[in-house]
Amino acid sequence: MHHGYAGTLLGPMHFAEAGSGEPLLLLHATPRSHRYFRYVLPLLAPHFRALAVDTPGFGSSHPLPDSTSIRSIAECFVRFLDALGIERAHVFGLHTGNKIAAALA
């Protein structure tokens, strides 16, 4: 498993990555972090390039500014994917993560 940071509109976002192949973006519920997917990443690694990301304001990602919306967070994920050279990705989100995934779509 690899850990890293990618720049976004709201600051650097921390992520854990495992595997190769088609990208799969994993979005946690609030107030969790990428660690929510720590047991799933190794299971997904043989099939996907699985990316578990700390949503801005949580885990090791940059704190959120006072006025932030789901849309602005979704835009951060677009920048996150761009920073990693990913044009398209499968997306899986839980609770708040699914709201961000819907805005991202």
Side-chain angles (χ1 to χ4, degrees):
M1 190 175 322
H2 164 76
H3 290 262
Y5 286 88
T8 72
L9 297 171
L10 296 176
M13 287 173 54
H14 175 263
F15 67 97
E17 175 180 18
S20 61
E22 292 188 32
L24 171 60
L25 184 61
L26 301 168
L27 307 177
H28 61 80
T30 299
R32 308 277 186 204
S33 72
H34 78 280
R35 292 181 48 79
Y36 192 81
F37 297 107
R38 69 186 173 275
Y39 299 118
V40 175
L41 280 174
L43 300 174
L44 293 170
H47 310 285
F48 294 97
R49 177 183 178 190
L51 300 146
V53 185
D54 290 341
T55 301
F58 299 96
S60 296
S61 287
H62 197 295
L64 282 173
D66 290 335
S67 59
T68 304
S69 65
I70 293 291
R71 181 182 171 97
S72 65
I73 293 171
E75 289 172 6
C76 283
F77 279 100
V78 171
R79 297 290 175 108
F80 171 82
L81 293 170
D82 287 346
L84 296 179
I86 298 171
E87 287 186 34
R88 298 181 69 142
H90 300 279
V91 181
F92 176 82
L94 293 169
H95 197 263
T96 316
N98 71 34
K99 307 300 185 261
I100 296 167
L104 184 58

